[in-house]
């Protein structure tokens, strides 16, 4: 539980995050915890333009996290059998990679 | 008391040989050694070592009075309110929390922060067993003695950090879609009026239904009389009296 809030994710390259889950299902705990951590002020402070939406359904569908990046990439994480920490680290690593790529691009453009 | 007179110190430190603080290990004075040896700490040893005694079972934890109080409060809340909505609470800045409480209070909706470990046993014993899977991670309860779902949904739409998961309105467990449908229902008086109107429709038609046959017969006979009068001389009394 403490681990999940210590992982810092830089949301700068992220455009929007949609978290879809069905609260009456038993396998949504990690997805809900993920949503809770995303709304932490430190992570929200990294990018105020990122829209985080929570989609609450009741159709027995699997919990899903849909991340759309600023350069058009999509990351879909099916949270039924993932832990919160895994999801956060996956998102964090991809964000860092994209950030590095952007920094390199901007460095190349302005030498 | 008289002023204390001067006195000679009881202890006089004699400098013999090296000073008190030396750079080498200084041997303790024999009397000091004896004193320390006599006053050494000996930990108490139980007569029978604990590993030889039969294993102690962990005594049942004493029930926390505070937890009991919170549980009683939750039970009371469930009993007294008609509408109980369960929402997931993600961290929000404090002023937003206060604003949300203020707007919901205007519609007579109270915001209650609950701990899962308190609510779960209460729900498990009451009839709201199906709400149990909702209580994971941080939740808040929005309770109200009235069922104003439309205003509640409107307030919550403007707050992305609070997500409505489900509600129990008038002892009916509803999902988020259910709450939205419920909010779109017409008010109770209007639906009561509609029901009464629909039920009263058929009886109002009964009298006209019963009169339909005889009135048709009357109309036919009148037409017949008119025809006969037309062919026969006027002044003949009509054959049949109108059954109107």
């Amino acid at each position: 539980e403490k681990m999940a809030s210590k992982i810092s994710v830089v949301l700068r390259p992220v455009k929007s995050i949609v978290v879809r889950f069905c609260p009456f299902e038993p396998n949504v705990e990690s997805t809900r915890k993920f949503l809770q951590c995303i709304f932490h002020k430190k992570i929200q402070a990294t990018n105020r333009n990122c829209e985080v939406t929570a989609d609450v359904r009741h159709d027995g569908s699997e919990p899903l996290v849909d991340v759309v990046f600023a350069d058009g990439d999509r990351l879909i994480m099916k949270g039924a059998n993932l832990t919160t920490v895994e999801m956060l680290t996956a998102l964090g690593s991809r964000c860092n990679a994209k950030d590095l790529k952007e920094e390199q691009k901007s460095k190349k453009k302005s030498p | 008391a008289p002023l204390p007179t001067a006195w000679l110190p009881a202890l006089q430190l004699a400098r013999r040989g090296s000073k008190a603080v030396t750079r080498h290990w200084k041997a303790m004075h024999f009397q000091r050694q004896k004193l320390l040896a006599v006053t050494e700490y000996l930990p108490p040893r139980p007569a029978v070592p604990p590993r030889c005694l039969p294993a102690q079972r962990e005594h049942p934890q004493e029930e926390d009075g505070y937890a009991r109080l919170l549980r009683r409060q939750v039970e009371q809340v469930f009993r007294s309110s008609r509408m109980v909505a369960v929402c997931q609470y993600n961290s929000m800045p404090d002023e937003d929390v206060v604003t949300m409480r203020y707007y919901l209070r205007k519609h007579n909706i109270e915001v209650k922060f609950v701990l899962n470990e308190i609510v779960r046993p209460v729900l498990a014993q009451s009839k709201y067993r199906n709400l149990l899977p909702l209580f994971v991670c941080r939740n808040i309860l929005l309770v109200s003695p009235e069922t104003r779902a439309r205003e509640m949904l409107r307030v919550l739409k403007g707050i992305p950090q609070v997500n409505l998961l489900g509600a129990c309105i008038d002892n009916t467990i509803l999902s988020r879609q259910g709450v939205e449908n419920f909010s779109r229902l017409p008010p109770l008086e209007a639906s009561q009026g509609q029901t009464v109107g629909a039920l009263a429709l058929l009886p109002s038609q009964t009298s006209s239904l019963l009169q339909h046959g005889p009135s048709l017969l009357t109309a036919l006979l009148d037409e017949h009389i008119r025809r006969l009068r037309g062919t026969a001389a006027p002044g003949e009394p009509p054959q049949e009296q109108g059954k109107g």
Side-chain angles (χ1 to χ4, degrees), chain B residues 63-78 112-126 132 135-137 139 141:
Chain B
E63 212 195 68
D64 203 8
Y66 185 49
R68 225 185 339 196
L69 172 76
L70 289 173
R71 244 174 278 145
R72 233 184 302 146
Q73 275 186 346
V74 172
E75 280 167 20
Q76 218 264 314
V77 148
F78 269 104
K112 289 212 180 283
F113 283 82
V114 287
L115 287 174
N116 294 335
E117 62 215 19
I118 307 266
V119 188
R120 280 184 152 254
V122 172
L123 287 184
Q125 286 158 2
S126 70
L132 267 178
F135 284 92
V136 202
C137 310
N139 303 296
L141 290 181

Side-chain angles (χ1 to χ4, degrees), chain A residues 24 29 32 35-36 39-40 54, chain B residues 88 91 134 136-137 139 165:
Chain A
F24 288 93
E29 188 183 336
R32 280 181 73 173
L35 181 64
Q36 215 177 305
F39 270 113
H40 198 65
Chain B
Q88 167 151 349
S91 40
L134 264 75
V136 202
C137 310
N139 303 296
L165 303 173

Side-chain angles (χ1 to χ4, degrees), chain B residues 48-119:
Chain B
V48 183
R51 63 169 188 260
C52 299
L53 289 165
Q56 251 191 23
R57 231 130 305 174
E58 218 196 75
H59 300 290
Q61 295 282 349
E62 242 185 55
E63 212 195 68
D64 203 8
Y66 185 49
R68 225 185 339 196
L69 172 76
L70 289 173
R71 244 174 278 145
R72 233 184 302 146
Q73 275 186 346
V74 172
E75 280 167 20
Q76 218 264 314
V77 148
F78 269 104
R79 240 179 291 143
S80 61
S81 54
R82 272 178 74 190
M83 169 167 90
V84 177
V86 184
C87 306
Q88 167 151 349
Y89 171 77
N90 308 308
S91 40
M92 238 159 81
D94 290 332
E95 38 295 355
D96 283 6
V97 177
V98 175
T99 325
M100 175 182 81
R101 277 199 131 119
Y102 171 68
Y103 279 113
L104 285 172
R105 205 77 189 76
K106 283 194 154 176
H107 302 304
N108 200 6
I109 303 180
E110 251 189 56
V111 175
K112 289 212 180 283
F113 283 82
V114 287
L115 287 174
N116 294 335
E117 62 215 19
I118 307 266
V119 188

Side-chain angles (χ1 to χ4, degrees), chain B residues 31-49:
Chain B
Q31 283 174 355
R32 181 157 188 241
Q33 245 180 334
K34 279 199 280 191
L35 189 71
L36 285 180
V38 164
T39 56
E40 211 178 295
Y41 171 66
L42 292 165
R45 292 168 73 192
V48 183

Side-chain angles (χ1 to χ4, degrees), chain A residues 21 23-26 28-29 31-33 35-37 39-41 44 52-54 56-58, chain B residues 88-91 130-131 133-139 160-161 163-165 173-177:
Chain A
F21 61 91
F24 288 93
E25 296 285 317
V28 295
E29 188 183 336
T31 319
R32 280 181 73 173
K33 199 100 208 350
L35 181 64
Q36 215 177 305
C37 297
F39 270 113
H40 198 65
K41 36 179 191 198
Q44 286 282 303
V52 186
T53 342
V56 180
R57 305 263 181 96
H58 191 45
Chain B
Q88 167 151 349
Y89 171 77
N90 308 308
S91 40
N130 291 327
L131 286 173
L134 264 75
F135 284 92
V136 202
C137 310
R138 287 182 87 183
N139 303 296
Q161 291 103 329
N163 318 115
L164 176 65
L165 303 173
I173 295 188
L174 299 168
S175 69
R176 199 211 162 91
Q177 264 80 37

